[in-house]
Amino acid sequence: MTEPGTTLSQRDTGSPRERRHNAILDAAEALFLEQGYDRTSLADIVRRSGGSLATLYDLFGNKQGLLRAMATRWSEETAFCPPDPAATAAMSNVDILKSYAYRQSDAMQSPRAIALMRMLVSESVRDRDFAVGIYRDIHLPAIAELTELFTRWAAAGEADIDDPEAAAKLFLNIVFGDSMLNALAGIEEEWLGREEIDWRLRPFISHFRICQFH
């Protein structure tokens, strides 16, 4: 299963091992979404993807490893990844922050993301080590890339941020703190629209004096 902007040709590039990795992961994701994580066996995944159980174990370890790899791939697809400076020449720092918040909010409202979050929470409740691994794979990288961005802005005098890492955690909590609860409860009407995201970000932008003009 691919996201908008991810073409089959992009997935098919790389070494034979990378292509096999992606084929198994695509099959696992499709089956997890179609029939549920618990009801999908490794044999089901191998039948759909081709290859062998030995290859699956070698690449992912077990079914939890597949779920963790799915989460990591989704996180990489929706990562902040600050664009090339030339592409954002006309954007202020505020515009860049809002663009990231909008994109993440849209991504988290997708049926794929909601189903994935539910699977991750369910498995995390059953296995603390799995939960810690997901935290390290998904949450910490998001904090790190925002911390790097805020550090650059502070050094350039484009924001008054004395603790970039704390600011990164605060930003993520402001915009996405209740998204997982909404996903688990299936409360679609509580998803944040762009106006509410803007409203939530106003105190953050004002407090840290983030440049609103390029």
Side-chain angles (χ1 to χ4, degrees):
M1 181 173 296
T2 59
E3 287 288 282
T6 303
T7 66
L8 290 175
S9 61
Q10 287 173 322
R11 286 281 179 89
D12 289 340
T13 59
S15 68
R17 183 178 176 84
E18 289 170 334
R19 290 195 296 272
R20 175 52 49 202
H21 177 281
N22 288 332
I24 293 173
L25 196 54
D26 287 342
E29 181 171 322
L31 286 166
F32 289 168
L33 295 179
E34 288 170 15
Q35 58 191 39
Y37 176 77
D38 289 332
R39 290 189 295 274
T40 300
S41 70
L42 295 182
D44 293 334
I45 295 167
V46 170
R47 277 194 294 272
R48 178 167 296 196
S49 67
S52 66
L53 273 173
T55 300
L56 188 153
Y57 282 122
D58 178 51
L59 291 171
F60 300 99
N62 53 27
K63 192 159 74 166
Q64 269 193 353
L66 279 163
L67 182 57
R68 187 169 172 179
M70 280 174 51
T72 300
R73 183 166 73 176
W74 183 83
S75 178
E76 290 171 350
E77 290 169 356
T78 58
F80 181 60
C81 295
D84 183 83
T88 58
M91 294 177 68
S92 69
N93 292 345
V94 169
D95 291 334
I96 290 172
L97 265 190
K98 287 183 177 181
S99 176
Y100 171 61
Y102 299 157
R103 187 163 62 88
Q104 284 285 66
S105 181
D106 289 344
M108 294 182 77
Q109 294 179 48
S110 71
R112 177 194 179 200
I114 293 170
L116 177 58
M117 281 190 281
R118 288 173 176 165
M119 285 186 279
L120 291 174
V121 170
S122 177
E123 196 63 17
S124 293
V125 169
R126 289 190 287 205
D127 189 332
R128 184 179 183 280
D129 289 339
F130 176 82
V132 171
I134 290 298
Y135 176 80
R136 290 173 177 165
D137 291 346
I138 297 179
H139 193 59
L140 292 185
I143 292 171
E145 63 182 359
L146 283 170
T147 298
E148 181 182 352
L149 179 69
F150 293 159
T151 299
R152 290 203 309 270
W153 286 356
E158 298 174 356
D160 187 10
I161 302 177
D162 58 335
D163 188 337
E165 183 177 353
K169 293 176 181 177
L170 177 60
F171 175 82
L172 291 173
N173 282 328
I174 288 172
V175 180
F176 311 118
D178 47 5
S179 295
M180 186 167 289
L181 288 175
N182 292 342
L184 292 173
I187 308 176
E188 296 181 2
E189 63 270 19
E190 294 296 326
W191 286 115
L192 297 180
R194 297 197 173 189
E195 289 185 3
E196 187 167 3
I197 289 174
D198 290 347
W199 183 84
R200 287 189 175 198
L201 286 178
R202 275 185 213 138
F204 183 92
I205 292 165
S206 174
H207 177 78
F208 292 114
R209 299 179 184 177
I210 298 173
C211 287
Q212 303 195 46
F213 304 99
H214 186 74

